[in-house]
Amino acid sequence: MDTFETVYYFLLGEMEDGYALDWVENAFSPGSECDRAYRRIEAARQRLSARLGTEDDADVEEILSVQLDIQKALCQKIFAYGQFQGK
C-alpha cells in the first residue's frame, strides 16, 4: 500500500489502529463533521429505500459508489498537489 492509500484509508477510519499515523486524524470519528454527514446520507438512503419498498436500491447504491470514486480521485489529486508543493 502506498503513502496515499495509507493516509486515505486511515482518514476514512478504515485502517486498524496499529497502522495509525500520528499526523492523520480519522475524519469519521464519532461526532465529527464527516460522521454527522455520513449519518445524514444513511438516513436519507433508508428513507428512500422505505419509499421504494426495498432494502437496497441498485441505483442508490450506484450513486453512493460513484460518489466514493469521485471522492477518492479528488483526494488523490489533492495529495499529489500537496506533495508537489512540499518539494
Side-chain angles (χ1 to χ4, degrees):
M1 185 175 306
D2 65 18
T3 304
F4 166 76
E5 287 185 337
T6 302
V7 171
Y8 182 72
Y9 290 116
F10 187 74
L11 188 68
L12 295 180
E14 295 182 9
M15 293 289 287
E16 295 179 22
D17 289 337
Y19 293 98
L21 301 171
D22 59 356
W23 50 277
V24 179
E25 69 176 90
N26 174 353
F28 286 85
S29 61
S32 68
E33 181 179 357
C34 290
D35 177 58
R36 291 189 306 271
Y38 184 77
R39 289 175 189 271
R40 288 175 52 206
I41 289 170
E42 279 301 305
R45 186 179 67 76
Q46 289 173 3
R47 289 189 307 270
L48 185 55
S49 291
R51 280 198 309 271
L52 295 172
T54 182
E55 183 104 1
D56 292 311
D57 181 76
D59 289 330
V60 171
E61 296 303 319
E62 178 68 6
I63 290 167
L64 293 174
S65 177
V66 170
Q67 183 58 43
L68 290 174
D69 292 343
I70 291 168
Q71 170 187 286
K72 186 173 182 182
L74 291 173
C75 287
Q76 284 175 315
K77 288 185 182 296
I78 291 169
F79 189 83
Y81 293 147
Q83 285 184 314
F84 174 76
Q85 289 296 317
K87 291 183 178 182

